[in-house]
Amino acid sequence: MVSLFQGVHHLPIWLLLFMSFWSLSEEGKLLVIPVDGSHWLSMHSLVLQLQQRGHHIVVAAPEVSALIEPSEHYTLKTYFVPYTKEYLEAEFRRLGHQVFTPRPFLERVTQTFARIGNITTFLLNSCKQLLSNKELIISLKESAFDAVLMDPIFLCGQAVAEYLSLPSIYFSRGIPCGLEFQAARCPNPPSYIPRFFTHYTDHMTFPQRMWNIIVSSALSWSCSLLYSSHEDLIRDFLQQDVTMTELLSHASIWLLKYDFAFEYPRPVMPNIVLIGGVTCGQQKPLSQEFESIVNASGEHGFVVFSLGSMVSEIPMKKAQQFAEAFGTIPQTILWRYTGQPPPNLANNTKLIKWLPQNDLLAHPKARAFITHGGSHGIYEGICNGVPMVLMPLFGDQMDNAKRIESRGAGVTLNVLDMTSKDLSAALNTVIYDKSYKENIMRLSALHLDRPIHPLDLAVHWIEFVMRHKGAPHLRPAAHDLNWIQYHSLDVIAFLLAVVLVAMFISWKCCLFCCRKCFCKKGRVSKSSKTKAQ
Amino acid sequence: MVSLFQGVHHLPIWLLLFMSFWSLSEEGKLLVIPVDGSHWLSMHSLVLQLQQRGHHIVVAAPEVSALIEPSEHYTLKTYFVPYTKEYLEAEFRRLGHQVFTPRPFLERVTQTFARIGNITTFLLNSCKQLLSNKELIISLKESAFDAVLMDPIFLCGQAVAEYLSLPSIYFSRGIPCGLEFQAARCPNPPSYIPRFFTHYTDHMTFPQRMWNIIVSSALSWSCSLLYSSHEDLIRDFLQQDVTMTELLSHASIWLLKYDFAFEYPRPVMPNIVLIGGVTCGQQKPLSQEFESIVNASGEHGFVVFSLGSMVSEIPMKKAQQFAEAFGTIPQTILWRYTGQPPPNLANNTKLIKWLPQNDLLAHPKARAFITHGGSHGIYEGICNGVPMVLMPLFGDQMDNAKRIESRGAGVTLNVLDMTSKDLSAALNTVIYDKSYKENIMRLSALHLDRPIHPLDLAVHWIEFVMRHKGAPHLRPAAHDLNWIQYHSLDVIAFLLAVVLVAMFISWKCCLFCCRKCFCKKGRVSKSSKTKAQ
């Protein structure tokens, strides 16, 4: 890892002294409030990096977690939650099976809403437990942190930050209802910025632009609905009247996990820092086991297949379909799978409980990557230049897949409708049609050609907030305007009124003048008439 | 200077090979089309840096220039212009005297417009000469450049870039009419982003917001007017119908010379890179002459006074006023001045033809900086943490001064109305009122706490454009929408029409139903009436 403060020889001595004093006298204390599951995985690598730079990290997490575990790298402080590890694992398994079960369209929509509702209730319950855990809150207050690093999907983190009067840094791929842009007062025109769940690109037809606007309003409304109980809870806790947008608008820095090699270009605000590829680190050598599988793959190379950390088991029928497709291609398949092996598994397919995904994708023999389209995996595909077959399951995955497909760097399959032939054809396309490799290599070159690694950039901005107790100089004055003022509607109305009044007065003046003239003329002509008589 | 490609150990081998191949096989050929005067000074340091990194630089400039001179660091290719060096110098002198001559308000406004008109005509004439210089254009075409670095105020540079089919990088503080945001399709709400020449901050009252909108429209209109002759000329040259906004929208990267320690926070686009402080380099040791002056200043320290590269002579009356003020303070004054020494010059005031401004400001004994408020000088003040007395003369200087003053890091004086007492009071305020020093130190700390030096950042993006033949992945789809589509006015009109038609049909249906019901009732009651009879 490169050292930060690059180019320090440009800096005056007083600032160097200030920085070294800051970093010697107190290494920095950071409170981390994460969200479990895949969200934690990418935050975890950032936490490790911060710990390596000498900061003391405290992670406040539910006492029952799928992936957040005690570690020598940070102090884990837990709070009670009313569920068990078994319940959590069963929920994850259920999710895996649910997304692979074909259902009619309307039922799928209802199911999606139900899933979002479930997640929100789950987060709300965790929030209740965290905020009511007085012992923990007092201990956090006594710890005198410099800042809070949090996942903004768990709004509770900001409530704690407000309570402790600490600046906060958000780490996220984005909030499905686009709340991050609303909260950061970042312009977000629906005419060329596709909304989550629409699966549109940035070039939309008229009906698509219309649907994009409707979805935008619907998402905004549903977010208000979903988070309303959070707001009530937080209002009680903070003893102040606050909305979720106001809460999130207090973020010092938004670390967003994408860049424009992947995301469509759009406006950003000064406190939005793009760190796409933050988890895509240096390639480590493969273990003996993987090295031998990879070498044995011969000239055809191998394919990496993983559906992410949340889904490792799938229904047997689907597994058989996958296995059948894999049997038709000459590449070796490395499949992350913990379920019962399908009986039709071909010799070229290896089922593995855990894959060193990044190191495998970085291998020159990696020919394709079958992924569910989580942003973590997608960036590993991009930074290693491996074309993808995308099988989006839920959340932002459909939209992520669309972005890769629209760049000609991958093929998207509908995991419910697809046949084994579709999968085999998709694999052959991305492996043998050269344009896919060329396109992913182009994206990779654009993504990797940056002045500083995104992990270093993320660390810089977290330390910046810790050093300066926030980043108020990056907060736009737009936060101090209401909706009408922001859009200058009051000024426009006033100017319109002035113009209308001016027009009315001019009209009246004209009328008056005309009347005067005509009357005069009339009188003159009358008098002349009289004279003439 | 730090090496670029920091964190290269994160990169895969193929990309490192590609980069080293690119940098070995062809160092890169860059065409630079600058604008003379202070604009060239900051571009010059970037050109030197690029040359040090092994690129071959060709500067295409008028054969008569105030500051652009032949150099061993680049090849200067000149084109004929119909004026002499003497004329140019006389014009600069005239400018110096003009801005110091008090005039009634209306005359000053007319004069400002006349000055802008003169500059535009001057640039237009240069453009005519450049585009009609077939020999030079052919030689540039044969040189096979990788990209063009230019000042966007000289629109002609983009015409050349289009003609040579080269990607372009713009280097600017901004275009007074805000054309950079229009061209980059960057949202620019007038409700909190003050326009040039208004001298407002980002917190505006209702009348200020109104005036800001009016100025915004007026600037946009005046820009169209000023640049219309350029458009005609370029249309003839390129043999294609193009507007100035379209031309400027082809920029691959906008390198803008500010950051949010100085500028008010606002939205930016992916191809806008902020490089404020690009010219504020490493402190070099002072020469014997300056070292002795500075050391002799004792505990009171010294004040640096410069009105920029364009104004080194001023009317004697004003010079005497300055000299009188300087005599009242205990600090030594280092005044960059080439004119006749004023007779009342005190012992503590040293007139010097050329100042090592940055090195002097970096000295711990520097107490204040009297500046005209050019962005170059202001950033030297910020990065060295020296409070300022600002005497804005023309262009963006008034707005720059406002930004420093609103941060409590300087005092602005009206150079026409001020007395020697005002100047002496302003100097005492910024030197002895601790808040000024504290505020400038805070700005300095925020400005300098960055992950990479702005000069390295500028070099990175120029090389990025050279390596990738542009940066189309940073170009938002907004460029492919017209004004109505961008603001979704067509969609809103359609949705409104649908709602109105639906309401109309519902209304008609209701009416129809009501009529049916009443008629029926009427008939029923009639028939029952008949029955009753």
Side-chain angles (χ1 to χ4, degrees), chain A residues 123-133 154 156 229 233:
Chain A
L123 291 174
L124 178 68
N125 288 334
S126 299
C127 187
K128 268 181 195 157
Q129 297 300 334
L130 170 56
L131 299 188
S132 62
N133 194 325
F154 188 46
C156 212
S229 333
L233 181 68

Side-chain angles (χ1 to χ4, degrees), chain A residues 30-60:
Chain A
L30 185 71
L31 172 61
V32 177
I33 303 183
V35 164
D36 199 11
S38 60
H39 284 228
W40 167 245
L41 284 186
S42 45
M43 195 183 250
H44 182 244
S45 51
L46 180 56
V47 166
L48 289 192
Q49 185 63 20
L50 287 160
Q51 187 266 339
Q52 274 176 34
R53 289 184 53 80
H55 301 299
H56 178 56
I57 318 274
V58 173
V59 177

Side-chain angles (χ1 to χ4, degrees), chain A residues 322-336:
Chain A
F322 288 154
E324 193 185 328
F326 298 152
T328 66
I329 62 162
Q331 282 76 22
T332 301
I333 314 286
L334 290 155
W335 180 359
R336 181 189 173 254

Side-chain angles (χ1 to χ4, degrees), chain A residues 2 6-7 9-10 14 191 203 209-210 266 268 270 282 449 451 453 467-468 475 480 485-486 490 494, chain B residues 1-2 6-7 9-10 191 203 209-210 266 268 270 282 444 449 451 453 467-468 480 485-486 490 494:
Chain A
V2 294
Q6 288 148 352
H9 48 289
H10 291 289
W14 65 265
S191 51
H203 285 86
R209 285 196 288 117
M210 189 169 66
R266 53 155 301 133
V268 287
Q282 198 180 358
D449 194 352
H453 190 278
R467 269 193 290 274
H468 301 277
R475 186 177 169 83
D480 305 318
Q485 290 168 328
Y486 177 85
D490 51 350
F494 179 78
Chain B
M1 187 57 49
V2 295
Q6 288 150 350
H9 48 290
H10 290 291
S191 51
H203 285 86
R209 287 195 289 116
M210 189 171 65
R266 52 156 301 133
V268 287
Q282 198 180 356
S444 190
D449 194 352
H453 190 278
R467 269 193 290 274
H468 301 277
D480 305 318
Q485 291 168 329
Y486 177 86
D490 51 350
F494 179 79

Side-chain angles (χ1 to χ4, degrees), chain A residues 9 34 41 64 125 167 184 222 251 271 274 277 297 360 413-414 458 500 513:
Chain A
H9 48 289
L41 284 186
V64 176
N125 288 334
S222 59
N271 64 343
L274 301 185
S297 69
L360 283 169
L413 291 177
N414 182 330
L500 286 177
C513 292

Side-chain angles (χ1 to χ4, degrees), chain B residues 91-116:
Chain B
E91 276 295 300
F92 279 128
R93 265 198 306 276
R94 202 164 67 89
L95 178 70
H97 281 268
Q98 211 180 42
V99 293
F100 281 99
T101 313
R103 282 187 175 84
F105 174 74
L106 265 181
E107 202 177 319
R108 263 187 292 151
V109 172
T110 336
Q111 200 184 50
T112 303
F113 275 100
R115 194 158 50 229
I116 295 173

Side-chain angles (χ1 to χ4, degrees), chain A residues 204-391:
Chain A
M204 290 176 264
T205 60
F206 179 84
Q208 286 179 333
R209 285 196 288 117
M210 189 169 66
W211 188 239
N212 203 45
I213 284 188
I214 294 170
V215 168
S216 184
S217 316
L219 283 177
S220 176
W221 171 81
S222 59
C223 232
S224 312
L225 208 72
L226 281 169
Y227 273 118
S228 62
S229 333
H230 270 86
E231 281 178 346
D232 295 338
L233 181 68
I234 291 169
R235 268 187 213 127
D236 283 350
F237 175 70
L238 293 176
Q239 293 290 307
Q240 71 182 71
D241 195 28
V242 73
T243 67
M244 61 173 175
T245 318
E246 275 167 27
L247 267 177
L248 290 177
S249 79
H250 296 165
S252 291
I253 296 286
W254 288 83
L255 298 172
L256 295 184
K257 290 185 282 173
Y258 53 77
D259 69 352
F260 297 114
F262 164 68
E263 188 52 89
Y264 302 120
R266 53 155 301 133
V268 287
M269 292 308 279
N271 64 343
I272 292 179
V273 177
L274 301 185
I275 52 158
V278 66
T279 53
C280 187
Q282 198 180 358
Q283 180 192 359
K284 289 183 283 291
L286 291 171
S287 69
Q288 195 70 38
E289 179 201 357
F290 285 106
E291 193 65 50
S292 58
I293 299 177
V294 157
N295 285 337
S297 69
E299 54 162 340
H300 290 296
F302 63 93
V303 171
V304 180
F305 177 22
S306 166
L307 293 174
S309 56
M310 315 279 276
V311 177
S312 56
E313 278 180 45
I314 54 175
M316 181 51 81
K317 208 177 142 196
K318 201 41 85 181
Q320 284 182 339
Q321 221 178 35
F322 288 154
E324 193 185 328
F326 298 152
T328 66
I329 62 162
Q331 282 76 22
T332 301
I333 314 286
L334 290 155
W335 180 359
R336 181 189 173 254
Y337 189 65
T338 59
Q340 198 68 22
N344 60 339
L345 205 68
N347 281 339
N348 68 335
T349 310
K350 317 283 172 202
L351 298 187
I352 296 151
K353 284 207 162 42
W354 178 86
L355 284 177
Q357 191 169 280
N358 188 52
D359 306 331
L360 283 169
L361 290 172
H363 196 280
K365 284 193 175 187
R367 294 284 179 270
F369 178 30
I370 312 173
T371 170
H372 62 307
S375 68
H376 192 128
I378 280 204
Y379 266 104
E380 290 189 338
I382 291 178
C383 80
N384 294 302
V386 182
M388 295 172 234
V389 171
L390 301 130
M391 291 183 189

